[in-house]
Amino acid sequence: MHFFKRKKNRQQYFQQMTMPWRERLYNVALRQTRTSARAEDWVQETFMRAWQDFDDLADPQAVYAWLLKILDHVIADDIRKEARRQQIAPVISTEELFLQEQHSSYQGPFEQLLQQQTDQQLIKAIQSLPEDFGKVILLRDIEGLSYQELSRILAVPEGTIMSRLSRGRRLLSNILNRSDRQGKLPQTDKTTKGIYK
Amino acid sequence: MSDNRNLKALHLEIQNLLAGYVDDSLSETEKYIVEAHLAGCLTCRMDVERQQQISQRLNHLPLSRLPAHLQQKLDRIPEQPLPMSGKKTVRDHWKVLRNGFNKRIQIKPLITLSGWAVALILMLVLLLPLKPSDNQQTIPMVAQVLAEYQSAGISGQFNLHSKVGVNAPASWPDARVLASWETSIGGAPATAYAVRTGNHIVFQYAVTEKVFFRNPVVRMKVAKEGRYQAKENGLMVVALPVKKAGLLIVGPEKAIPEIKSISL
Ligand SMILES: [Zn+2]
């Protein structure tokens, strides 16, 4: 409500607060889809909702986390609508990944393997992770947010963030190892993510 | 045997903390427990190392540039009107903008004239002031008609079928009815009329008595002065009581006729 008193400043204030985050938000969106058009739609929708709910922004310091949270909802809504998960053909199941998670036999220089991956390959590998794991990696390792911020954005306890991040990074290294041996990235069947609950 | 099983359980438990260890986000106690385990577990040590490497590698991904056309779209977002009548209306309004104005208004065409529809779209795009609003209004029905008026101009998709021979509730010398449609104001059905006057387009909304007199400010003003009016960013809304109903006229300030020239 307090912003209503300074409505003349509202537009200006909104732009001032959100404009610096546009590009980063766009990149977060871009890393969660295979088409840039879809990322653009998500970003536009996010800023529309942000503008409409601007008065809900309680802590101006946390504007980026707030925008990320809105983006997360926008993406979830969109995915629910399109049920696009159905269209992703499973090549290996995440169950299989988890089985090998405990006894990954790879002993070679992981760092070297990692450096050989192009940025695009890494993004693809993250996208192939079950959604919950990919998201924490994206927000923590790429965006550099704290566990506390992640907890607020995704509305789960910090302990859950930590365990998802642990498993997510482990899965990611398995995927990279595997792709190194097979010469291509696997795609996981995200519809089986229920098994992690 | 059972020792082994405990070790295995601890190992699995510790695995969930390794990200926190890598990111230095553990409590002192947790850190101590993890380090004690790491000393004796090669798998976890390797896991920590890989997590560190992944984290570092991902930290340095370059950013893609924001496309210019998206930049422009985002620039325009705060220019959109924002009715001040509570969340629900705000959301509804955005839905209107997203879906295109024409989907929301329920049009009951009597006669369809495609030529008119095209002309109307053109005129609305050309004549409606596109200046965004600061929206000082707190009276819901007033905010809503302002927003509808503005979004018609912004969306430019005013694909109306016009009615021929329809009279708007209010008329004045150079007023010509272009179109009429059913809509909803203040949660109750209302009839809207697009009226051309000079080089401008003015909307009239016939609203229910209940909606019209809902706001005490409007009630008082109407009782004292026979009308309520509000101005905002060059737009003006005049609220007039009519028989068993209310009438809202919205448009550019200079296009709103003198009260004495209006016949109801
Ligand atoms: Zn261990």
Side-chain angles (χ1 to χ4, degrees):
Chain A
M1 266 327 265
H2 57 290
F3 286 123
F4 288 177
K5 288 175 197 140
R6 332 192 276 271
K7 247 162 272 137
K8 284 211 163 126
N9 300 329
R10 199 185 196 266
Q11 297 176 357
Q12 212 185 343
Y13 188 55
F14 176 77
Q15 293 293 41
Q16 193 187 320
M17 295 294 288
T18 60
M19 212 180 297
W21 303 108
R22 283 179 179 178
E23 195 158 86
R24 276 181 70 182
L25 205 80
Y26 172 62
N27 275 270
V28 174
L30 208 52
R31 283 167 184 150
Q32 292 181 74
T33 173
R34 289 174 173 83
T35 64
S36 57
R38 191 170 190 136
E40 287 173 24
D41 286 348
W42 287 345
V43 170
Q44 207 187 343
E45 175 69 18
T46 299
F47 279 95
M48 275 194 180
R49 290 193 197 177
W51 167 239
Q52 133 198 345
D53 292 342
F54 191 40
D55 303 290
D56 294 347
L57 173 62
D59 177 10
Q61 302 289 315
V63 63
Y64 187 46
W66 178 69
L67 288 170
L68 284 168
K69 189 176 182 137
I70 299 175
L71 175 68
D72 197 48
H73 288 172
V74 166
I75 294 176
D77 289 351
D78 191 39
I79 285 172
R80 207 175 301 130
K81 224 180 291 160
E82 304 274 333
R84 77 171 180 156
R85 294 289 182 240
Q86 312 293 324
Q87 295 160 14
I88 296 171
V91 177
I92 56 167
S93 74
T94 42
E95 220 159 339
E96 195 184 328
L97 277 172
F98 257 109
L99 282 177
Q100 69 172 35
E101 174 191 353
Q102 304 304 337
H103 17 142
S104 170
S105 57
Y106 184 81
Q107 301 283 332
F110 182 67
E111 187 158 26
Q112 196 187 322
L113 169 69
L114 206 52
Q115 299 311 325
Q116 283 165 2
Q117 305 286 323
T118 64
D119 296 338
Q120 211 44 48
Q121 280 172 319
L122 282 173
I123 295 299
K124 264 183 139 177
I126 293 170
Q127 285 180 351
S128 74
L129 291 173
E131 199 184 328
D132 286 347
F133 299 121
K135 227 184 279 177
V136 289
I137 290 183
L138 186 64
L139 295 178
R140 169 68 204 176
D141 289 336
I142 302 184
E143 288 305 303
L145 298 177
S146 69
Y147 287 22
Q148 196 193 0
E149 285 170 309
L150 275 164
S151 158
R152 260 160 59 183
I153 293 166
L154 301 174
V156 292
E158 283 182 47
T160 308
I161 298 292
M162 194 184 290
S163 62
R164 280 187 192 171
L165 198 52
S166 300
R167 303 181 98 178
R169 287 173 179 160
R170 197 149 49 239
L171 275 176
L172 184 61
S173 66
N174 286 342
I175 287 174
L176 294 173
N177 278 334
R178 198 188 169 94
S179 68
D180 189 51
R181 276 178 275 136
Q182 297 183 344
K184 70 180 175 86
L185 281 172
Q187 285 195 326
T188 54
D189 178 6
K190 299 192 184 195
T191 57
T192 61
K193 70 177 178 183
I195 62 167
Y196 302 112
K197 282 179 183 159
Chain B
M1 189 67 195
S2 99
D3 263 9
N4 250 345
R5 208 173 295 146
N6 285 343
L7 268 180
K8 177 87 179 162
L10 180 65
H11 169 78
L12 291 178
E13 193 72 26
I14 295 284
Q15 281 199 324
N16 286 331
L17 297 177
L18 292 182
Y21 183 73
V22 167
D23 297 327
D24 199 18
S25 299
L26 295 182
S27 70
E28 283 307 307
T29 320
E30 287 170 327
K31 204 168 153 184
Y32 177 80
I33 295 169
V34 169
E35 280 175 350
H37 176 78
L38 286 179
C41 182
L42 176 67
T43 313
C44 283
R45 278 206 303 277
M46 282 185 56
D47 196 347
V48 164
E49 198 180 315
R50 286 181 195 177
Q51 287 203 33
Q52 277 164 342
Q53 288 161 348
I54 284 177
S55 191
Q56 269 164 25
R57 174 75 174 83
L58 294 180
N59 215 336
H60 293 103
L61 287 184
L63 285 181
S64 299
R65 295 299 303 274
L66 192 70
H69 60 268
L70 180 58
Q71 186 92 258
Q72 283 162 9
K73 280 183 192 164
L74 298 183
D75 282 344
R76 283 198 299 266
I77 284 175
E79 291 172 9
Q80 313 285 13
L82 199 69
M84 289 299 127
S85 48
K87 275 282 159 52
K88 193 157 183 289
T89 319
V90 174
R91 292 232 161 85
D92 287 346
H93 179 60
W94 279 104
K95 226 174 275 161
V96 173
L97 281 183
R98 278 197 294 271
N99 298 343
F101 194 62
N102 52 343
K103 281 187 193 158
R104 198 234 191 133
I105 42 187
Q106 301 294 314
I107 302 149
K108 285 187 199 156
L110 295 176
I111 300 168
T112 304
L113 285 176
S114 60
W116 259 114
V118 173
L120 185 61
I121 294 163
L122 282 176
M123 274 192 284
L124 281 165
V125 172
L126 293 173
L127 304 179
L128 284 181
L130 294 179
K131 205 168 164 234
S133 124
D134 284 337
N135 227 324
Q136 306 285 350
Q137 296 305 330
T138 48
I139 298 170
M141 66 174 182
V142 173
Q144 200 186 340
V145 298
L146 274 168
E148 281 211 4
Y149 183 84
Q150 288 172 315
S151 63
I154 288 164
S155 70
Q157 300 178 24
F158 209 61
N159 192 11
L160 280 181
H161 304 291
S162 75
K163 289 175 178 179
V164 171
V166 167
N167 292 316
S171 59
W172 53 93
D174 73 340
R176 282 179 58 203
V177 178
L178 299 175
S180 165
W181 64 95
E182 299 304 320
T183 183
S184 148
I185 299 291
T191 310
Y193 304 83
V195 177
R196 180 167 193 184
T197 174
N199 281 327
H200 299 281
I201 289 183
V202 166
F203 284 5
Q204 294 184 26
Y205 291 90
V207 303
T208 63
E209 203 170 18
K210 212 172 143 190
V211 169
F212 188 81
F213 287 109
R214 191 178 282 159
N215 188 284
V217 178
V218 175
R219 265 201 316 267
M220 243 170 58
K221 279 275 179 190
V222 169
K224 268 196 204 155
E225 296 161 28
R227 66 176 187 275
Y228 166 87
Q229 61 186 48
K231 288 176 195 175
E232 177 188 293
N233 259 2
L235 288 184
M236 188 170 170
V237 177
V238 180
L240 298 163
V242 290
K243 214 186 287 172
K244 300 246 171 205
L247 179 69
L248 302 171
I249 305 175
V250 55
E253 197 179 333
K254 55 189 169 206
I256 302 288
E258 295 269 334
I259 293 296
K260 58 177 187 282
S261 67
I262 296 177
S263 41
L264 296 169

